[in-house]
Structure formats: C-alpha cells, structure tokens
Amino acid sequence: MTESVAKTTDTGVQTASLTRVSGRPWKSLKKPTNRTMMAKSLRRSHEQRMQQDRDQKSLKLMEKELRDEKEAEKTALRNRIVERRKKFQEKVQREAFEAKMSERKRMRMKRKELRQRAHAKHYQENDDLAPTCTAGFKVGEKKNIDELAQLDAADASLNKWKESLGLSHAQERFPDDPRTVVVQALVFQSEDRAIRIDVSTPKAIKNLQKNPITIKEGCEYTFKIEFVVQREMVSGLKFLQQVKRKGIPVDKMEEMCGSYGPKYESHERTFPSSKAPSGLLARGTYNVKSKFIDDDNTVYLEWMWSMDIKKDWE
C-alpha cells in the first residue's frame, strides 16, 4: 500500500512524499533508494553494475565446474575401488567353489573329457585314408569318350594322340562288370621273391583277411598295382594305403597313378621302394587298408589285408 505522508520542514511547511506503508505495524517504512545522496566514489553506472553481475556469474560458473570436476574424480576413484573389491570377492568365491567341488564331479568331468578325446580319435581314424586336397584345385567337367573324340576332330596329330590314350572304342575286358576301373592285383616285390595279392573278386579279398602274407624283416620292397580301365576315361587315379599295428598307425602312403583311357590290356603302376622294419620288437602282424580312387573321390576298390613281419621267409 502506498500512502501520502505529510512531512514538516524546518520552516514549518508540510510537504507530501510517497512512502510504501505496510499493513503490519511491526514493519518499518520503506523508502526508494536515493542514489544522488551516495558519495561519488560509490556511484556506478548501469553498465558497470551489469558487468559486475556478469563477472560474478562467470566466477560462480567456474567454481561450479571445479567442484564438478573434483566430484567426478572422487566418483571415478570410488568406482575403481568398488570394482577391485568386486573382483576380489568373485575370486574368493570362485576359489571357495573350486575348493568345495566334490571328487565325484571332478571324475565326471574327466570322463567327459576322455569321451571327447576318444570321439575325436575315432573320427580321425575313420578319415585316415582321405586323400590330400590341394587348396584352390577344382576338378574339371567330366566328358565321355564321344565328347573327347569330337574335340578338334580335324587335327590329325591330335587324333593320333587320342588313339594312343585309348579314346577309340576299345573292346571291353569285363563286359559283365559295371565298374569303370577293375583292380586285379597288388603285387609285393623284393629281391628275393614276389607275392601277388589277388583282389579281383570279393571272395579273394575275403581270403586275404584270413591268410596274411609273410615278409622278411629289413628287406627292401615295392608295391605294384594292376588294373583295367574300360568304357570311359578316368583322371587322377590315386592309391592310398595305411599300415597299423595294434590299432596304431605306423605308415601311410599316397601315390598318384595318373589318367588312363579304356584299354583291353591291363595297366600297371609301380610305387617307390620302402624298407620293412627289423628287430625283435618290429616282428608281428600288421593290418593294412588300401584304397584306389580318382580325383572325383570315386572309390573303385577298398580292401583290408594283413602281413606278418618275421625273421625269415616262410
């Protein structure tokens, strides 16, 4: 509430002044500030007062940033301490859990590990005679004899080369046998003797498992395979063989035989020489698994047979 209050001067004249009067009797009267009555040293312009306000706000903002930075450092330190304590507690709990683990559970885990190892070993043994794969190699498109004979038919020299490969329709050696490659025998050759292992029929292969061949210890020997190709041309023939003793692999052989065309006569391929093991511990029975395939992984024959390493020939 603003009221007009009479004021008496020294001359006895009453003047009116505007004064804010509160309705509460205990409050004193409020009068507007009269800056003209202030000393000149204390007088400031409006711009100076605004600049002072800005300086104070800037100072307060800087103080706040410093406080926030210090608080952030404290929070980071507190978090690192909490994380270290948490890791330490986890370590203690893990050690306590391992200490409380029962012997039965340890044995169960050990049996599980042994089963996994046995499974991996079994898978590896079943894949022992897998041929070596060359990275980036792709088998070309397979063509029959007629398609190969028609390629560059006008070239006389090429036609002679095709005939030398047997691309002309040769007479079939085994017309009742549907196989393209017929393996006849695997021949064991050494300086002292040669043993022909007949694999031409299922009955002959079955007899091999019952009647192992005898080899003298320490002798130098080679293997020769005899086979017939009929009807179509085959490429990338391979002979794979693995020797085991008491289930443990002791030797493996992988030999490339090449590509062959159909021919009435038998083809032969002799492999590099090897030396039979010698000594008392080396004597005994060895189980052999042989396989004859091509570059398409077509298995033409796979058979099992045995050989006995002895002190002398029998």
Side-chain angles (χ1 to χ4, degrees):
M1 171 183 296
T2 303
E3 296 180 355
S4 178
V5 180
K7 182 178 181 181
T8 305
T9 63
D10 295 339
T11 58
V13 179
Q14 291 184 349
T15 59
S17 61
L18 294 176
T19 306
R20 291 180 294 174
V21 179
S22 175
R24 296 178 177 83
W26 63 85
K27 286 192 174 184
S28 61
L29 298 178
K30 293 183 179 180
K31 297 181 181 180
T33 302
N34 187 359
R35 301 184 186 278
T36 58
M37 301 300 293
M38 297 175 63
K40 290 185 178 180
S41 60
L42 299 177
R43 294 177 187 176
R44 291 177 299 169
S45 65
H46 178 74
E47 294 181 356
Q48 291 175 340
R49 293 197 301 273
M50 293 298 101
Q51 183 63 36
Q52 184 181 7
D53 292 342
R54 287 194 293 268
D55 293 342
Q56 289 178 354
K57 289 180 180 179
S58 177
L59 181 61
K60 290 181 179 179
L61 181 61
M62 186 180 298
E63 291 177 350
K64 183 178 183 299
E65 291 178 353
L66 291 175
R67 288 195 302 271
D68 293 343
E69 185 178 354
K70 191 173 182 179
E71 187 65 25
E73 292 178 356
K74 291 182 179 179
T75 304
L77 178 60
R78 190 182 305 112
N79 292 336
R80 288 196 297 269
I81 295 174
V82 171
E83 187 67 22
R84 285 198 298 267
R85 290 178 178 175
K86 184 179 179 181
K87 288 184 179 180
F88 178 75
Q89 291 177 357
E90 290 178 353
K91 182 180 179 182
V92 172
Q93 291 177 357
R94 184 170 60 253
E95 291 177 351
F97 174 76
E98 292 176 354
K100 292 180 180 179
M101 186 183 296
S102 63
E103 186 67 22
R104 180 180 298 178
K105 188 171 183 179
R106 290 199 186 108
M107 293 300 296
R108 187 163 61 248
M109 294 174 64
K110 186 175 181 180
R111 287 195 298 269
K112 183 179 179 180
E113 183 180 358
L114 291 176
R115 285 197 300 269
Q116 292 176 349
R117 290 182 181 179
H119 178 73
K121 183 178 180 181
H122 176 72
Y123 178 79
Q124 183 179 4
E125 289 179 353
N126 290 342
D127 202 36
D128 281 339
L129 283 183
T132 303
C133 297
T134 304
F137 173 75
K138 294 183 179 180
V139 180
E141 183 181 358
K142 199 168 185 179
K143 296 181 180 295
N144 55 33
I145 293 180
D146 295 333
E147 292 174 342
L148 293 173
Q150 291 174 3
L151 294 175
D152 298 326
D155 192 337
S157 60
L158 187 59
N159 289 333
K160 290 182 180 179
W161 178 73
K162 292 177 183 178
E163 291 179 0
S164 66
L165 291 178
L167 294 184
S168 59
H169 292 277
Q171 183 179 359
E172 295 181 9
R173 178 79 170 270
F174 305 101
D176 297 333
D177 196 329
R179 292 177 295 174
T180 305
V181 179
V182 180
V183 183
Q184 294 179 293
L186 182 66
V187 183
F188 172 89
Q189 296 177 328
S190 67
E191 294 182 358
D192 297 331
R193 65 180 61 190
I195 303 174
R196 192 173 189 275
I197 304 173
D198 184 16
V199 292
S200 58
T201 61
K203 183 178 180 181
I205 295 174
K206 188 175 181 179
N207 291 332
L208 288 177
Q209 301 177 5
K210 300 178 182 179
N211 303 310
I213 65 173
T214 301
I215 299 175
K216 182 181 178 180
E217 62 177 0
C219 69
E220 294 281 344
Y221 68 90
T222 60
F223 281 112
K224 179 179 71 173
I225 191 167
E226 300 176 358
F227 58 95
V228 175
V229 179
Q230 58 182 9
R231 298 187 188 90
E232 298 292 342
M233 184 174 181
V234 292
S235 60
L237 288 176
K238 286 183 181 180
F239 177 71
L240 307 174
Q241 182 167 277
Q242 186 181 51
V243 182
K244 291 184 180 181
R245 186 182 185 191
K246 297 180 180 180
I248 301 175
V250 295
D251 187 28
K252 184 178 180 181
M253 180 173 62
E254 180 177 350
E255 295 294 336
M256 176 65 72
C257 299
S259 301
Y260 298 88
K263 186 178 179 181
Y264 185 82
E265 294 80 10
S266 298
H267 297 282
E268 295 181 354
R269 174 71 175 179
T270 303
F271 306 119
S273 62
S274 302
K275 186 176 181 180
S278 59
L280 180 62
L281 297 177
R283 299 170 193 164
T285 301
Y286 293 78
N287 298 317
V288 187
K289 185 177 182 181
S290 303
K291 184 189 291 187
F292 202 50
I293 64 174
D294 63 6
D295 55 7
D296 290 328
N297 290 329
T298 302
V299 180
Y300 295 107
L301 186 63
E302 182 176 358
W303 70 100
M304 301 283 295
W305 56 286
S306 302
M307 59 182 178
D308 290 337
I309 304 295
K310 296 187 177 182
K311 189 174 182 179
D312 204 348
W313 302 102
E314 289 184 359

